[in-house]
């Protein structure tokens, strides 16, 4: 007991942090770089007595309170704890570091792919599983207020874990909660993108054990956990901001020290633009995202290692099924390629999706692995986000039909797939935590929302659906308002009058939408045609657009009809699909029809059919 206490005491006194906080044996890359933080730690002589743990290099920073230790673990065969000695006046220090055993098959983990449908959750707004962790007085934002859009509402990790049954029953196979690491910021800390500690779960969201438990419970149900990570920036209250290790740890650090913050120009095309000035390129990648988010300098090799090891640490610790990387075009793009490359080297079947918020398919395609880029840029990123398709769907379904408006936008939007290295690895969505709710985008038109969802879920893509879409959540009172876009999921708080988890208090429209989505999602779960099948679509005619997915014996047919009065669809045009005279089943209603002659479409809407009758 005494020795444990003694070790804790000296650690607390002088070695404030060692990160990564632990590591694993048996990684493909046997190198590990530790960042040690403690007062004048650079003055110490560092020793490790275990011979098979090779101390390769010790690097000083500009600031004597940091030291970086490079280890080679190639010869370490067993999980173990070992001591790192820091010798020198005023006294010798010791830190016990742990090398853990990896889970079996950790390197072969399968990331999310086109067989999945991702449920995007804003954790502060989904469910409050533990009201005791809502307020932490030691943190800068000390209040919670459910009536305030930008305040904390008390939702947490346990809230997600408690409702995994609901998520599973709906038919989702992956969850992407927005970040839950510590954001000790004085306001708007609920969103999670201003991290003040990259190794700590925000106590208002729960503990590391809660997070590990979430993945474990999710995995038992076949649900993958995707972690939202940020390599571009931290929060201005990050612990290292008051004592930075290097003169170039963050970008525009000198200006920051003079209280002159330089913000990015958001000119994301400068990453690809052959004519872009160096001035614009620098400002784009080095300028701060916003004044509360310092821009990390990934050209500093210690920062680069820090970020890569942090990502891998979370994959191993949480047993992740994927990473979503925020603001992908904002960090140094060559670093991002190395970052994704290092992860994919350790986990070849893993998935990472990067956020490039552009409606231009050329930019979305540029970042995907396998893209034949003119500047020779090789991305190691498997998945990108389909903002162009999101826009095409909203516009195409809302607009009146004409030669170049309406359904033709869906048709031509999908035709752009010829430019992508691998369309089915791209994540598609109708809205997310930064965009107006899709129901609001469609002026609260349920039929259009159903059309959009049925299209999204049959495309050769990885679909992502934002929590609440299934119950027609809207933000129509204040379009563009982020706090409102991230509103509370009814039933997530004790005393909620409406409970979307049980259906209590939902309107008939909401229940119907929930049922509709549940039917498609649960069909999609086992549909090889949708996961990996061939896609054939026919140019829209007379306000009707038809898309087929097929694989082996399974054919899925989606008919989107914008005609308000009854029309007949002559199936002659679709002969090449080879389903003439075949019996097909409506995936939503279960009703069976014969695919021949003219199919009567009685009202505006969508029909989803399958050749799988059982
Ligand atoms: Ca809570």
């Amino acid at each position: 007991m005494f020795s444990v206490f003694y070790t804790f005491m000296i650690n607390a006194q002088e070695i404030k942090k060692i990160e990564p906080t632990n590591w694993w044996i048996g990684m493909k890359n046997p190198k590990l770089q530790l960042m040690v933080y403690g007062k004048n730690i650079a003055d110490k002589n560092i020793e490790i007595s275990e011979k098979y743990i090779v101390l390769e290099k010790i690097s000083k920073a500009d600031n004597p309170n940091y030291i970086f230790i490079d280890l080679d673990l190639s010869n370490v065969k067993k999980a173990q704890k070992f001591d790192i000695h820091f010798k020198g006046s005023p006294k010798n220090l010791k830190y016990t570091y742990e090398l853990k055993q990896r889970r079996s098959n950790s390197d072969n983990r399968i990331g999310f792919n086109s067989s999945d449908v991702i449920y995007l959750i804003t954790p502060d707004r989904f469910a409050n599983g533990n009201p005791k962790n809502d307020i932490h007085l030691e943190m800068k934002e000390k209040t919670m207020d459910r009536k305030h859009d930008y305040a904390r509402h008390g939702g947490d990790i346990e809230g997600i874990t408690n409702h995994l049954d609901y998520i599973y029953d709906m038919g989702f196979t992956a969850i992407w909660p927005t970040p839950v690491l510590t954001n000790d910021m004085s306001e708007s800390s609920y969103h999670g993108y201003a991290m003040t500690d990259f190794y700590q779960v925000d106590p208002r969201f729960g503990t590391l054990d809660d997070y590990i438990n979430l993945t474990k419970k999710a995995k038992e149900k076949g649900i993958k956990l995707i972690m939202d990570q940020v390599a571009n920036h931290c929060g201005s209250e990050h612990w290292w901001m008051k004592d930075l290790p290097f003169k170039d740890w963050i970008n525009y650090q000198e200006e920051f020290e003079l209280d002159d913050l330089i913000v990015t120009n958001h000119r994301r095309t400068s990453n690809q633009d052959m004519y872009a000035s160096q001035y614009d390129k620098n400002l784009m990648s080095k300028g701060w995202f916003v004044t509360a988010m310092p821009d990390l300098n990934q050209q500093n090799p210690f920062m680069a290692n820090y970020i890569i090891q942090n990502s891998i640490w979370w994959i191993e610790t949480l047993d992740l099924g994927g990473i979503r990387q925020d603001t992908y075009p904002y960090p140094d793009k060559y670093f991002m390629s190395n970052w994704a490359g290092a992860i994919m080297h350790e986990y070849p079947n893993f998935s990472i999706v990067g956020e490039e918020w552009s409606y231009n398919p050329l930019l979305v395609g540029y970042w995907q692995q396998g893209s034949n880029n003119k500047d020779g840029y090789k991305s190691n990123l498997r998945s990108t986000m389909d903002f162009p398709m999101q826009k095409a769907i909203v516009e195409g379904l809302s607009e009146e039909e004409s030669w170049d408006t309406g359904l033709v936008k869906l048709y031509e939007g999908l035709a752009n797939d010829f430019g992508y290295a691998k369309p089915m690895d791209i994540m598609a969505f109708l809205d997310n935590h930064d965009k107006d709710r899709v129901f609001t985008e469609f002026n609260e038109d349920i039929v259009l929302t159903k059309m959009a969802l049925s299209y999204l879920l049959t495309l050769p893509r990885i679909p992502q659906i934002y929590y609440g879409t299934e119950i027609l959540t809207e933000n129509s009172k204040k379009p563009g308002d982020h706090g409102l876009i991230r509103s509370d999921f009814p039933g997530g708080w004790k005393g909620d009058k409406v409970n979307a988890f049980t259906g209590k208090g939902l309107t008939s429209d909401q229940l119907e939408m929930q049922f509709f989505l549940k039917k498609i999602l649960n069909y999609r779960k086992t549909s090889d045609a949708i996961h990996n099948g061939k896609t054939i679509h026919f140019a829209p005619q007379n306000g009707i657009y038809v898309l087929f997915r097929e694989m082996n014996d399974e054919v899925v047919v989606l008919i989107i009809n914008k005609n308000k009065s009854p029309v007949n669809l002559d199936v002659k045009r679709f002969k090449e699909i080879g389903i003439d005279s075949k019996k097909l089943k409506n995936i939503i209603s279960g009703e069976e029809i014969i695919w021949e002659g003219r199919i009567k479409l009685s009202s505006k809407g969508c029909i989803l059919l399958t050749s799988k009758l059982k």
Side-chain angles (χ1 to χ4, degrees), residues 266-378:
H266 297 281
R267 293 293 168 204
R268 295 185 292 271
T269 49
S270 65
N271 279 305
Q272 292 84 10
D273 186 352
M274 304 193 302
Y275 315 123
S277 62
Q278 198 55 47
Y279 175 87
D280 288 342
K281 282 171 183 271
N282 285 349
L283 200 52
M284 168 59 208
S285 80
K286 294 181 178 171
W288 292 19
F289 193 73
V290 291
T291 54
M293 296 176 180
D295 198 74
L296 306 178
N297 177 19
Q298 300 90 6
Q299 285 176 352
N300 177 312
F302 299 97
M303 173 61 89
N305 267 333
Y306 185 92
I307 298 171
I308 291 169
Q309 292 183 157
N310 180 256
S311 293
I312 292 174
W313 189 86
W314 283 111
I315 295 172
E316 289 290 329
T317 299
L318 294 178
D319 198 11
L320 291 179
I323 291 175
R324 180 262 184 189
Q325 181 60 256
D326 192 48
T327 51
Y328 208 81
Y330 288 82
D332 179 73
K333 71 177 184 181
Y334 298 102
F335 164 73
M336 289 318 289
S337 167
N338 292 341
W339 172 81
I343 293 169
M344 297 310 286
H345 173 69
E346 289 290 349
Y347 314 96
N349 303 314
F350 196 61
S351 294
I352 308 171
V353 59
E355 179 203 28
E356 161 69 279
W357 188 334
S358 169
Y359 299 111
N360 179 351
L362 293 174
L363 297 198
V364 173
Y366 177 88
W367 297 108
Q368 196 181 28
Q369 176 193 345
S371 172
N372 185 19
N373 293 325
K374 204 170 179 177
D375 65 358
Y377 182 74
K378 295 243 181 292

Side-chain angles (χ1 to χ4, degrees), residues 238-470:
H238 192 286
W239 62 265
W240 60 39
M241 290 306 292
K242 289 185 180 72
D243 195 23
L244 290 161
F246 287 94
K247 290 193 184 85
D248 63 350
W249 192 243
I250 57 170
N251 287 313
Y252 292 120
Q253 189 165 321
E254 219 180 302
E255 288 81 354
F256 157 70
E257 278 156 4
L258 295 168
D259 217 12
D260 177 22
L261 304 181
I262 311 270
V263 175
T264 178
N265 54 10
H266 297 281
R267 293 293 168 204
R268 295 185 292 271
T269 49
S270 65
N271 279 305
Q272 292 84 10
D273 186 352
M274 304 193 302
Y275 315 123
S277 62
Q278 198 55 47
Y279 175 87
D280 288 342
K281 282 171 183 271
N282 285 349
L283 200 52
M284 168 59 208
S285 80
K286 294 181 178 171
W288 292 19
F289 193 73
V290 291
T291 54
M293 296 176 180
D295 198 74
L296 306 178
N297 177 19
Q298 300 90 6
Q299 285 176 352
N300 177 312
F302 299 97
M303 173 61 89
N305 267 333
Y306 185 92
I307 298 171
I308 291 169
Q309 292 183 157
N310 180 256
S311 293
I312 292 174
W313 189 86
W314 283 111
I315 295 172
E316 289 290 329
T317 299
L318 294 178
D319 198 11
L320 291 179
I323 291 175
R324 180 262 184 189
Q325 181 60 256
D326 192 48
T327 51
Y328 208 81
Y330 288 82
D332 179 73
K333 71 177 184 181
Y334 298 102
F335 164 73
M336 289 318 289
S337 167
N338 292 341
W339 172 81
I343 293 169
M344 297 310 286
H345 173 69
E346 289 290 349
Y347 314 96
N349 303 314
F350 196 61
S351 294
I352 308 171
V353 59
E355 179 203 28
E356 161 69 279
W357 188 334
S358 169
Y359 299 111
N360 179 351
L362 293 174
L363 297 198
V364 173
Y366 177 88
W367 297 108
Q368 196 181 28
Q369 176 193 345
S371 172
N372 185 19
N373 293 325
K374 204 170 179 177
D375 65 358
Y377 182 74
K378 295 243 181 292
S379 182
N380 288 301
L381 185 66
R382 185 162 165 191
S383 179
T384 52
M385 290 189 182
D386 207 344
F387 282 89
M389 184 59 82
Q390 187 271 338
K391 190 168 188 259
I393 294 173
V394 170
E395 287 181 358
L397 293 177
S398 309
E399 288 169 355
E400 288 296 318
E401 290 297 298
S402 78
W403 172 250
D404 57 2
T405 60
L407 291 170
V408 69
K409 292 214 171 147
L410 277 64
Y411 178 70
E412 292 187 351
L414 191 56
N416 281 334
D417 278 15
F418 78 91
Y420 293 134
K422 205 171 174 197
M424 64 187 233
D425 275 351
I426 296 176
M427 179 193 284
F429 53 92
L430 303 175
D431 57 10
N432 64 27
H433 59 299
D434 289 326
K435 292 187 74 65
D436 285 330
R437 291 282 187 169
V438 66
F439 194 46
T440 291
E441 290 264 34
F442 287 129
N443 290 318
E444 305 197 1
D445 183 320
I446 295 170
V447 175
L448 290 182
T449 308
K450 282 185 176 174
M451 284 181 183
L453 283 164
S454 59
Y455 189 57
L456 175 77
L457 292 166
T458 39
L459 285 176
R461 289 288 189 280
I462 305 166
Q464 169 251 294
I465 290 175
Y466 192 34
Y467 80 102
T469 302
E470 70 272 32

Side-chain angles (χ1 to χ4, degrees), residues 509-523:
D509 284 347
Q510 288 176 309
L511 286 168
E512 194 197 319
M513 182 56 92
Q514 220 175 19
F515 173 82
F516 174 85
L517 203 51
K518 196 170 175 176
K519 278 280 177 185
I520 305 181
L521 290 173
N522 280 287
Y523 179 83

Side-chain angles (χ1 to χ4, degrees), residues 100-118:
K100 295 184 178 175
Q101 185 74 41
R102 299 173 77 186
R103 283 182 191 81
S104 64
N105 239 0
S106 180
D107 53 338
N108 287 324
R109 64 183 62 247
I110 309 283
F112 59 88
N113 55 47
S114 55
S115 71
D116 289 306
V117 179
I118 300 163

Side-chain angles (χ1 to χ4, degrees), residues 124 127-135 144 153-159 203-206 493:
D124 183 55
N128 190 356
N130 178 9
K132 287 192 191 124
N133 65 14
D134 293 352
I135 294 172
M144 75 169 270
H153 289 197
D156 48 36
I157 295 170
E158 211 176 311
R204 294 161 293 193
F205 285 131
W493 280 254

